[in-house]
Each structure stands twice: as C-alpha cells, then as structure tokens.
Amino acid sequence: MGRRTSTDEGSTLTPLMFQILVALSESDRHGYAILQQIEERTQGAFRVGAGTLYRAIKQLVDAGLMAEVDADGGHRQRRNYRLTDAGRDRAAVDARVFREIAAWADEARLGETEAGS
Amino acid sequence: MNRVAGLLILLFPPAFRLRYGSEVVGLLRDRAADVRRREGIPGMVRMWSFEISDLLRAAYAERRFGRRAGGGQDNRVTRRPGGAAGGVEPPRRRSVGGMMDELARDLRHARRTLARAPGFAAVVIITLALGIGATTAIFTVVDGVLLKPLPYPDADDLFAVYHRVPPLGADTVNHTSSTFLTYHDENRSFEQFGAWNPTEVVVTGRDEPERVDAVAMTEGVLRALRAQPRLGRGFSEQDTLPGAPMVVILTHGYWARRFGADEGIVGRDIRIEGQAAEVVGVMPPDFVFLGEASSLYVPLHFDRNAMPTVLSFDYRVVARLAPGTTPEAAAADLERLIPMSVERYAWLPAEQVQEWQLGINLRPLKESVVQDSGAVLWILQGTVGLVLLIACANVANLLLVRAEGRRREIALRTAIGASRGRLTRQFLVESGVLTALGALAGLALAYAAVPTMLRLPPAVLPRAGEIGVDARVLLFTLLISAVAAVVFSLFPIAYYGASDLVPALKEGGHGAGSGRRRHRVRGALAVAEVALALVLLVGAGLMIRSFQALRDVDPGFSDPGRAMIFRLALPAGDYPDEDRALAAYEAVIARIAEVPGVTHVGAISGLTMEGRSNQNSFMAQDVALGDEGEGVLRGAYKAMAGDYFGAAGIPLIAGRSITWDDIRERRRGGLVTETLAREFWGEPSAALGKQIRHSGDDPWREVIGVVGDVRDGGLRSAPRSVAFWPVIVEDFLGFDVWLRRDMAFVVRTDRANPFDVLPQVRDAVGSVDPNLPLADIGTLDRVVARNMASTSFILTMLLLAAGVALVLGTIGIYGVISYVFSQRTREIGIRVALGATTGDVRGMVLRQGALIGGLGVSIGVGAASGLARFLTAQVYGVGTMDPATYLGASLAVGGVALLASYVPALRTTAVDPLDALRR
C-alpha cells in the first residue's frame, strides 16, 4: 500500500471507476458506450446499473480524473467524456496495483482452485 | 418503464439529478431498446428489475455519501493518505445516519429472508391487500360523504332550516313562500337566508331540445354558500321579484358541454321553457350544489302581493349564521317570526299554529345533504374493519407458524450476540416490508374499486362528486397499515420473548420445544377468525333474506320489464293555454299507441316509488273518521291521462278509468286505490259514486273507479292512499285551473325488450312537436331496481366481505391444524405403533378442528347477535335475530372449519410410524 506516492490520492479506485478510466483511455465515449465496453470486455461478468455508473462518473469528474466534452453539440442526453491527464496517470498507477493483486492471486493458485471446483 | 425511471431519478439529490438525470434516463432508454431487440420481453423484465434496484441503491448512496463537508467526496478518489483507512462503512455512530445504516441493513435482511419464502410472503401480502384495500375503499367513500366538510368556505356556519310539527311527528318540514319571505325579510340571526327548489327545465333553441335538471333559488343561496361565479354575477334580489326579466346561471359542466365553454356567453339569451332568459353567470368547475347534479340555476320568483293560499311546503332553505350567533338563538329568533308570518300572509289559520305547535329546527347543512346514507356507510366501514381484523389474525398466525420454523436461526443469532431489541426491530422491519407491499396492493385495489361504487344512485351515495382517493385517504391507509403491522408483529415478538431459546439450539429446533401454549395462541387466533367470519355471514344472510322479501313484495304493477318509461314536459311558453297542452298530450298518446308492438300507453304525474309524491289529506262526504265531522286521511294525489293503468299493469278493481271526454269536459271525478277505498268505505265496490276532496274549499269529486294498491312510498312501506285525477282539474287546491305540464309516460309493449320501440316512439312524439325532448328514458323495472339499490348495495358488500372472511378463515384453520399436527408427527407415529387405527388418528385431528369451529361459532353467534342491531334499519321482512339465518350461517362456518381440518387429517394418517419414530 505504501507505493502510491506518485499522486496525492490515497486508496485504490473501485473496480468500476478503474474500468471507466480504462474504457476512456481508448477513446472518448458517452455513458452508454462506457457501460457497453465494460460489459463486453468482462463478458458480462461485470453488470453495471445506470445509477451506479453515473455516481462513479460524477465522482471521477469531480476529482478531475475525467471531463465532459460536448462532442454532440451539447446534446445533453449523450454527453461525451474524455480522460484527463490526471486521470490517465491515476489509471496507470492503479493498473499496476491491480496487476500486482492479480499476480498475487495467481501465486495463491486461486485461478486453479476456481477452475477445479 | 421509462416513466418509472423518470420518477426514481427524483430520489437522487437535486444536484445529481440536474447534472445527470436526463443522461441516466437516456441511457436506460437506449439500453432498453437494445435489450428488447436482443432478448425480448424476459430480458426486459430482468433488465428493469436490475436497473430499478440499482437506481434505488445508487440514490440512497448518493444521498448518504454523495456530499461531504468541504465539497470533498466520501471516498477513495480524493481521500488523502493517512485519512480514514480502509473500511467500506463509515464508523458507526448513534446518529441519524447510523440509524439509517441500520435500517438499510434490516431492510436488506428482510428482503433476503422474504425472498427465501416467496409463498409465505405472497399469501401475507395478498391477505393484507384484501383487508387494507377493502377498508381503504370504503373509507374513501365514508370520508368523501360523511367526514369531509362541505366544499364551501366556513361550512360549519351553514344550516338547513326546517319546521318542526311535534303532533305530526315531523321535524323536517320545509317552507311555504309565506314563512320563507317573513323569515328572509325579518330575521336578525342570519347573514344570508335563501330558498331553493330542485326542478327541471326544457332548454330549446340550440341543437336538440333538452330537458335538464335545474335548481330554482333566491339570491341568498349562492351568497350563503359564498360561491362566486367564474364569469358574470350571481342572482340579485331584483331577479326574484315578480315581472323581473328571466335570467339564468350555467354550471361549468353544462356551459362546457352545451356551449363549448364560450367565454362570451354572459349577456346572451337562451330559451328556457319557451322563454328567453339572459345568461348572467357561469359557475366555476369545482362548484357542487348540495349534492344535486344540476345543469343550471334559475331565480325563484315571489310576489309579496299575491301569495298563494295553498298550504304547500315547497321550499328548502339554506342559511348562513351571522357571526357570533348560536343556532339555538337563531332558531328562537325565527320562532318569534312564525306568528308574524301568519299575520302578514294569512297562510295558516291562527288556531292551527297553536294546534301544530309549529317550531323551528336548524340542522347542520352537511347532515341534511348526507341524510340517511350515514348509517349504511358506517355499517360497511364496520364490515370491512372486521375483514381487516380477520386478515390481521391470519397474518399473525402465519407469522407465528414461521416464527416456529425460525427458532433455530433466532437462537443462533441470539447466541452470537444479537440483542433482543435488535431482533425485535428486525421483526418489525420484516412486518413493515410485508405491510408496505400489502398496503400498496390494497391501495391499487381501492383505486380500482372506488369508481364502481360511485355508480350508485345519489339516494344511497350523495356527494359522489367529492369522493376520491386523496391525501387524507393515503394518510388513513398509512395509519391502519402501521397499526396492523405493529399488531401482528407483536405475536412473533411475544413468542420469542417467552420461549426459552436454548433448547431450540440444542435440539435443532425440533420436538419438545413446541409447547402447548403457543398452539393455544394460534388456536385462539383461528377461533377469532371463525367468529368474525360468522358475524359477517350472519349479516350477509340477513341481507339476503331482506332482499328476497323485497323481491316478493308486489310493487302494484305487473311485468314491469316490458314497460318503457320517459318524461315529457310542455313548456308554458310554447303551450300557454291548457287546451293546447291537452291536445298535445292526447296527440302524443294517440301516436304512440299506433306504434307496432305497443299495447297500452298512458301518462302519470308521478311514477310509483319515484319519491316525487306529495302529502295531502282526504275527506269523504259521507264518512266521519275520528271525532268531528268529516274524516281526514293522509295520502297523495296524482294526475293521469290515457291508459295509464293498462300501461303500468295496475288492475282496475271496480268502476272505470278516466276518458279523454272526462278531461275535455272537466268532469269532477277520479279513481282511488284499494287502500283508500277500504279506509273510508270498507270495500272497494262501495266507493263508486262516493264524493271526496282534499280541502274544505274544493268542490266534491266523484269516485268513478278503484284500482289495485301501489307501493308509492317504496317497497318497504305499506301501500298508501292515492287518488288519481285527470291531467287538467278545475277549482283544485286553490287553483282555478290546475294543469300538470310535466308527465311520466308509460309505454307497455309486447316485446321482451321495450326499447325496441324507442325510435318509433321518438318519431311519434316528434311528429306532434319536434321541440319536445324525451327525458329519463328507462323501464318500470329500473324504478323497482333503484328502490332496492341500497339493499342490494349492502347485500353485495356484505356478501363480498363474508366471502373473503370465509376464505381467510379457512386458510387460518387449515394452517393451524396442519401445522399443529405436522409438529405432532412423532406422537402420532407412536400412537399408530401402539395400535391406534386410522379412524382414531383422523378423529383426533377432526376433533381439534371441531373444537376451533365450535368455539368460533359460539363466540360468533354471541357477537353477531350483539352487532346485528346495527342492521335493524336495513333489513326487511326478517328480524335481526332470525334463527334460520343464524343456524344457516353457523352450519356454513362450522362445515368450512371441518373441511379445513379434513385435509390435514387425511395427511396425518399417511404417516408411517417407523419413519415418524426415526425422526
């Protein structure tokens, strides 16, 4: 936990927030596109509701990790979002954390147990 | 569903809603479209149930954690290192937030527990929905009719003013023009004093001629109600003076329907009763006149210099008490004016005033509008209250049974440290969730049921326009639901409180722990259900017998289903002299008689049981009833034309009917009913040729015929004395010529459906005068049905209530018996092993059922005999203690109780003793 010194922020992002940032790192997207992308990449294992999604978006926008861009000419029901530089850095940091957690799980042979059961 | 999402968005804090509300809704719409394309309806159901619970969760989280002091966020995004570490939940505090957390946890727990027992939850919710729904529906009506104040400002100051005549036992006698004018001009206690009179007028000129309900009133009526017209003005005193130009005020509904809500209507003329009348005002849409459904208001005219000398109490009075006056003082003030009214207008011989002990009776206006419907509605409220009680007993029972099954879980939770308070709260939350769902379903039921009840006739249900599910009703539902929830959760709480949980843990929740005491509680609940069901069944039984008795009453006319009726009025403007009016009546009747399928046709001023009857006295020339001189009988007179008796199916017992020649030549003769003939002369045939009249100033009139009795006061009252006079009479009750301009026509057909001839009848009337509208078209059958409306309404409601009660009671007994014996499987196994036969075991179970049934029936009979007196005014032809009804209801309930225990009995005997012992 002590390695997170590159930013001011404390603990890890939630998995959902992390995935939102990752989805946006590929391209600007609107809310539904973010959601579709997440569900596609996790093969539906990660189900996100609209309310939860926008709560997370709000927090990320407030924290300056992503920003609204009015690509559709201000069409309010489909606002596009873009990753900020801070967001990109933060996603990179958290990606490392998540990778290490995943590696740890592998070491603990969690995946095998699961496959075996 | 998108609309539901739109509503759920409202749960989010405004800041969130403004920023993301439309985006969330838009996303849901896109997603719904995709899901529908890919997965169809099942996918939609899955998606929406997921999204809705997600919205609820997110809204809660956003409200709870979304905004923290300093503009920061709750969570990890901006949390600084070294800040509050780790945990998902904030530290627990005894704060509102902390309590919210606990509540949320309890709710989650309740949802999980109930989801594990969907059958139990469904039964409880349906039971509560029935109880709460019925109670709410009836309360909606009770509230709208009885509890809510009348929809006028300071309605408590409004009174209906009546006369009291103690020797006649009458206390709601209305006003003559003489009393009204005297009180109106001289009283010192009322701010406003107005007279009114329901009437009907014909509106011609635009479109079809139309007969509409109207109210004739003086200027004080609308002023007393403090009702301001939406357009134009109210009536002024000038409008009521003799010779004043005719004016009219339209109700909002009529203005919209007939004049297309034309804003420029004020100042224009319309034709009423053949005369031009200027529209001076239009009422606002929410104005209701004392429960009367009317289309327009016309002024009442009084001529102080030419007052009628006829004694007729035609005018109703509504008055607003002056500030600072009490009703008693106001009544005394008016009583002081009675002698003055006699002096001024000589409307009553002075000695008569003494004899009658004439007094004033002030009745709160609401009471006078609502009248007798109060009794019926309170009975129904009581009835559905009993259904709710039964529902609660049933739910309590189900909860107890479930509590039994959960002893192990509870014992475990207690063992790992759950406090008793915590468990109590958990139960309350569970009951609360169940009740909330039941109440929601109940509200939906009530919402659907209320419009059906509003179709009842106004005699049963006045103020129908003011009835609706509103905030007060919601509050009531909330209240009864809360009370119900607390009441039935007390049972499981008391149960856990009393039982020692340690054995439960040790024995795996089985065996010796299920004590007799708890069985007794459940048994008592089942007994209560049986008793309550019996009370309702007795009520329903009494109403069924009354209904049958009323059905068997001979209304006085035969085969009413084949007789069509309608009303027709000849406006004074178009038919100024009586010969023209008579010619019109004769022509209309002759043309209708020519229609194929019509066998008889006639006209009458007031149909039997229609409630338009008058009260008059009869004197016979040769009979002295009572002490002095001529005898006086009370009864009504009616005017007739054509073959009314043939058309209505009233038998002619002696003599003959009135012919057109009789009417044209103004012969002084008429018919009387059998009752009247017997009262005066002992025998119908003896009446022929005798002379009768209504008042000492009238000439004598000859009895030319006697007809069978008619139930003029309704099916419940004995036949009254009625005299039938021609439609035009001379020297009658102070009138030189008295002509009925408004008659009910009866057309008897040989068709099963009398309306088959309606088009030709319309044409026949139109060929005489295209400006004459047919009003109140119906059949004689419907007049009878309307007369029974209140009885059949109570009957239907009680039957429904009794049916629901029986079903719930059956479930209750079945549940108790089968549960008790499932707990005693081991015991039964031992008995069987020791040689008990199948019959022994079944007998044991059935005895238990019979005990519950028997106790319930005896308590129920006692309760029913106490409560049945509330039905006294509603039953007919049967006493409230009718043994047959009580016996029938007891047998029915007892039978159901046995039946409900028979099924468990069958199951118990299927117990394999070895298997039972091994357990």
Side-chain angles (χ1 to χ4, degrees):
Chain A
M1 299 280 268
R3 83 170 70 220
R4 266 175 287 119
T5 46
S6 56
T7 65
D8 276 343
E9 276 66 35
S11 60
T12 5
L13 296 170
T14 63
L16 173 60
M17 290 174 178
F18 178 60
Q19 292 182 77
I20 293 172
L21 295 187
V22 175
L24 287 181
S25 69
E26 295 168 347
S27 71
D28 294 357
R29 292 180 207 270
H30 54 74
Y32 188 35
I34 296 174
L35 197 146
Q36 280 173 314
Q37 182 71 5
I38 292 175
E39 288 188 346
E40 204 175 293
R41 290 304 294 246
T42 58
Q43 278 123 49
F46 209 85
R47 244 179 121 196
V48 187
T52 305
L53 176 76
Y54 275 97
R55 272 200 81 220
I57 288 178
K58 171 177 175 252
Q59 287 166 19
L60 292 170
V61 170
D62 287 349
L65 299 183
M66 57 188 271
E68 296 159 9
V69 277
D70 286 339
D72 288 11
H75 179 40
R76 280 195 54 91
Q77 285 197 358
R78 276 209 165 185
R79 211 155 20 182
N80 273 330
Y81 296 93
R82 170 177 298 165
L83 204 58
T84 60
D85 291 343
R88 193 171 296 278
D89 292 348
R90 181 68 195 272
V93 170
D94 275 46
R96 206 157 56 225
V97 176
F98 278 120
R99 229 176 358 249
E100 281 174 18
I101 296 174
W104 179 23
D106 282 349
E107 270 169 44
R109 300 187 173 268
L110 256 183
E112 284 171 33
T113 320
E114 201 173 301
S117 68
Chain B
M1 279 324 277
N2 284 319
R3 195 171 305 162
V4 174
L7 282 175
L8 287 174
I9 291 293
L10 294 177
L11 295 173
F12 284 88
F16 186 89
R17 207 160 62 217
L18 284 176
R19 247 168 94 182
Y20 296 107
S22 59
E23 267 185 274
V24 171
V25 173
L27 187 155
L28 285 171
R29 197 169 35 231
D30 293 348
R31 186 169 207 179
D34 284 354
V35 168
R36 179 173 208 155
R37 209 169 39 242
R38 281 201 313 264
E39 299 168 54
I41 299 297
M44 292 277 283
V45 173
R46 272 196 305 275
M47 174 210 141
W48 277 113
S49 53
F50 172 73
E51 290 291 353
I52 286 174
S53 72
D54 179 76
L55 282 175
L56 288 171
R57 251 189 327 245
Y60 171 74
E62 186 63 26
R63 280 204 177 268
R64 179 84 184 81
F65 308 110
R67 250 175 320 172
R68 277 286 163 84
Q73 288 291 322
D74 58 286
N75 50 37
R76 31 213 119 198
V77 189
T78 53
R79 194 181 293 145
R80 296 180 185 267
V88 183
E89 289 181 27
R92 286 188 51 187
R93 275 166 296 136
R94 271 277 153 209
S95 64
V96 175
M99 276 155 70
M100 287 296 288
D101 284 346
E102 283 177 24
L103 186 64
R105 205 166 32 241
D106 284 339
L107 279 173
R108 265 199 309 278
H109 186 83
R111 201 193 64 199
R112 274 201 304 272
T113 341
L114 294 177
R116 276 201 298 268
F120 161 80
V123 171
V124 170
I125 290 168
I126 291 171
T127 307
L128 286 173
L130 283 175
I132 293 176
T135 314
T136 303
I138 298 293
F139 177 78
T140 309
V141 177
V142 166
D143 184 49
V145 177
L146 303 178
L147 302 183
K148 265 190 215 159
L150 291 175
Y152 313 114
D154 299 319
D156 289 345
D157 292 336
L158 290 169
F159 287 85
V161 181
Y162 298 100
H163 287 111
R164 197 197 301 279
V165 188
L168 300 183
D171 62 356
T172 51
V173 176
N174 280 309
H175 296 254
T176 66
S177 39
S178 311
T179 60
F180 167 69
L181 282 179
T182 312
Y183 303 160
H184 171 268
D185 295 347
E186 304 294 338
N187 86 77
R188 296 177 201 152
S189 317
F190 294 96
E191 198 177 288
Q192 293 294 340
F193 201 85
W196 63 280
N197 202 350
T199 175
E200 290 174 12
V201 295
V202 174
V203 180
T204 45
R206 294 170 78 128
D207 313 323
E208 293 258 291
E210 191 180 21
R211 183 99 180 276
V212 298
D213 290 313
V215 177
M217 55 171 73
T218 63
E219 84 287 347
V221 173
L222 292 181
R223 289 185 191 166
L225 303 180
R226 299 207 174 136
Q228 284 296 330
R230 181 180 175 276
L231 299 174
R233 63 171 174 92
F235 292 130
S236 68
E237 210 163 341
Q238 268 68 42
D239 294 330
T240 68
L241 295 179
M246 182 69 176
V247 293
V248 58
I249 293 177
L250 307 178
T251 58
H252 193 273
Y254 191 66
W255 172 61
R257 179 165 65 80
R258 176 94 185 196
F259 301 100
D262 176 3
E263 297 273 342
I265 190 79
V266 172
R268 294 228 298 269
D269 279 357
I270 63 174
R271 284 189 81 75
I272 293 180
E273 298 283 305
Q275 295 175 33
E278 184 194 340
V279 177
V280 294
V282 176
M283 297 309 289
D286 54 352
F287 179 73
V288 227
F289 182 79
L290 305 183
E292 299 269 334
S294 38
S295 298
L296 43 86
Y297 309 135
V298 291
L300 262 180
H301 295 281
F302 289 111
D303 188 347
R304 285 171 173 76
N305 298 316
M307 296 290 273
T309 52
V310 192
L311 195 54
S312 124
F313 297 90
D314 285 338
Y315 303 106
R316 310 185 198 185
V317 165
V318 50
R320 180 177 285 277
L321 221 52
T325 320
T326 64
E328 295 74 29
D333 179 32
L334 293 184
E335 275 169 2
R336 168 184 69 88
L337 299 174
I338 295 173
M340 188 189 290
S341 74
V342 174
E343 209 173 288
R344 199 173 279 181
Y345 299 109
W347 62 280
L348 194 67
E351 62 273 15
Q352 191 83 63
V353 179
Q354 292 300 320
E355 201 178 304
W356 276 4
Q357 303 162 31
L358 211 56
I360 294 290
N361 174 22
L362 283 193
R363 218 171 152 197
L365 188 60
K366 191 167 92 181
E367 250 177 55
S368 104
V369 170
V370 171
Q371 301 223 349
D372 302 333
S373 59
V376 172
L377 289 177
W378 284 122
I379 289 172
L380 293 180
Q381 188 75 81
T383 305
V384 293
L386 289 185
V387 172
L388 183 60
L389 266 185
I390 295 177
C392 284
N394 223 353
V395 171
N397 230 330
L398 287 167
L399 285 175
L400 272 181
V401 170
R402 208 172 120 74
E404 195 90 34
R406 284 170 73 188
R407 295 180 78 224
R408 207 173 133 76
E409 175 204 334
I410 303 302
L412 203 64
R413 290 181 62 188
T414 315
I416 59 175
S419 69
R420 191 142 277 176
R422 173 98 179 73
L423 286 176
T424 306
R425 206 178 54 229
Q426 176 61 45
F427 285 123
L428 277 174
V429 168
E430 257 183 60
S431 317
V433 169
L434 287 170
T435 321
L437 292 174
L440 270 182
L443 263 181
L445 273 182
Y447 207 79
V450 166
T452 341
M453 287 193 285
L454 296 188
R455 286 206 291 268
L456 286 165
V460 184
L461 208 62
R463 301 182 71 188
E466 298 164 53
I467 296 169
V469 176
D470 57 11
R472 287 162 62 101
V473 173
L474 290 181
L475 195 70
F476 172 81
T477 310
L478 196 70
L479 205 74
I480 56 165
S481 308
V483 171
V486 170
V487 166
F488 58 66
S489 18
L490 285 181
F491 284 90
I493 290 168
Y495 167 73
Y496 290 123
S499 63
D500 185 4
L501 291 165
V502 178
L505 209 51
K506 273 200 246 165
E507 295 165 26
H510 192 273
S514 44
R516 281 178 162 278
R517 209 181 67 87
R518 288 187 306 278
H519 289 166
R520 265 212 298 277
V521 174
R522 277 205 303 275
L525 283 170
V527 167
E529 284 183 54
V530 173
L532 290 170
L534 182 70
V535 169
L536 291 175
L537 209 61
V538 165
L542 289 175
M543 291 315 292
I544 290 176
R545 309 234 335 154
S546 306
F547 193 78
Q548 282 171 338
L550 280 176
R551 274 241 88 119
D552 292 343
V553 170
D554 177 11
F557 34 77
S558 58
D559 208 359
R562 286 176 187 268
M564 186 187 79
I565 54 172
F566 63 89
R567 297 188 75 88
L568 204 62
L570 304 178
D574 296 343
Y575 295 88
D577 67 295
E578 58 266 23
D579 286 327
R580 275 190 67 185
L582 182 62
Y585 280 139
E586 198 174 348
V588 164
I589 288 179
R591 297 275 166 79
I592 294 176
E594 287 164 9
V595 171
V598 172
T599 57
H600 305 267
V601 53
I604 186 80
S605 55
L607 282 168
T608 302
M609 300 189 285
E610 246 194 345
R612 292 172 194 248
S613 218
N614 46 21
Q615 269 286 357
N616 270 277
S617 46
F618 289 99
M619 305 158 193
Q621 196 175 23
D622 59 333
V623 183
L625 293 178
D627 306 337
E628 32 187 279
E630 301 156 339
V632 174
L633 260 181
R634 290 169 69 79
Y637 65 81
K638 296 181 181 221
M640 58 162 287
D643 186 8
Y644 165 68
F645 299 117
I650 299 172
L652 190 65
I653 294 177
R656 62 177 184 89
S657 183
I658 296 167
T659 63
W660 289 109
D661 281 341
D662 291 333
I663 305 177
R664 272 194 292 268
E665 291 169 22
R666 314 280 195 265
R667 288 185 196 142
R668 287 187 183 137
L671 292 94
V672 298
T673 57
E674 195 181 340
T675 298
L676 192 150
R678 284 188 193 283
E679 292 264 2
F680 273 136
W681 302 286
E683 193 159 354
S685 56
L688 295 180
K690 297 286 169 23
Q691 305 282 330
I692 61 169
R693 63 184 174 189
H694 293 294
S695 99
D697 299 333
D698 281 10
W700 292 104
R701 286 166 217 278
E702 185 185 342
V703 176
I704 61 169
V706 179
V707 291
D709 275 327
V710 287
R711 298 265 170 175
D712 208 37
L715 291 171
R716 284 159 183 268
S717 34
R720 298 169 65 197
S721 298
V722 180
F724 298 91
W725 304 120
V727 69
I728 295 180
V729 207
E730 285 181 347
D731 297 322
F732 187 72
L733 286 168
F735 290 91
D736 292 342
V737 178
W738 184 73
L739 159 73
R740 274 300 294 221
R741 297 187 166 275
D742 159 23
M743 298 285 273
F745 284 70
V746 183
V747 181
R748 179 160 293 263
T749 65
D750 55 11
R751 309 289 167 86
N753 177 6
F755 292 126
D756 286 350
V757 301
L758 180 59
Q760 292 100 303
V761 168
R762 258 190 222 282
D763 291 346
V765 175
S767 73
V768 176
D769 182 347
N771 275 339
L772 289 181
L774 274 58
D776 295 348
I777 299 167
T779 61
L780 271 186
D781 234 4
R782 274 190 218 167
V783 177
V784 181
R786 214 176 305 154
N787 200 257
M788 295 174 72
S790 147
T791 306
S792 46
F793 178 51
I794 303 181
L795 170 66
T796 315
M797 299 303 288
L798 272 173
L799 265 183
L800 268 178
V804 172
L806 264 189
V807 171
L808 292 179
T810 312
I811 297 175
I813 296 180
Y814 171 81
V816 170
I817 303 264
S818 56
Y819 186 77
V820 167
F821 282 94
S822 76
Q823 294 291 300
R824 285 168 69 180
T825 310
R826 213 173 132 88
E827 177 202 331
I828 290 168
I830 294 170
R831 280 172 191 262
V832 172
L834 292 177
T837 64
T838 313
D840 292 339
V841 175
R842 279 188 196 170
M844 195 173 82
V845 181
L846 283 178
R847 264 199 303 283
Q848 185 91 15
L851 183 69
I852 292 178
L855 274 174
V857 165
S858 22
I859 295 174
V861 165
S865 59
L867 291 171
R869 67 196 163 85
F870 290 112
L871 281 177
T872 311
Q874 313 302 331
V875 296
Y876 177 84
V878 59
T880 53
M881 299 300 294
D882 177 50
T885 307
Y886 281 76
L887 189 69
S890 305
L891 285 180
V893 171
V896 165
L898 276 186
L899 204 67
S901 40
Y902 188 67
V903 179
L906 283 185
R907 222 173 23 200
T908 355
T909 46
V911 169
D912 174 3
L914 285 178
D915 188 37
L917 288 172
R918 258 199 305 273
R919 285 212 260 168

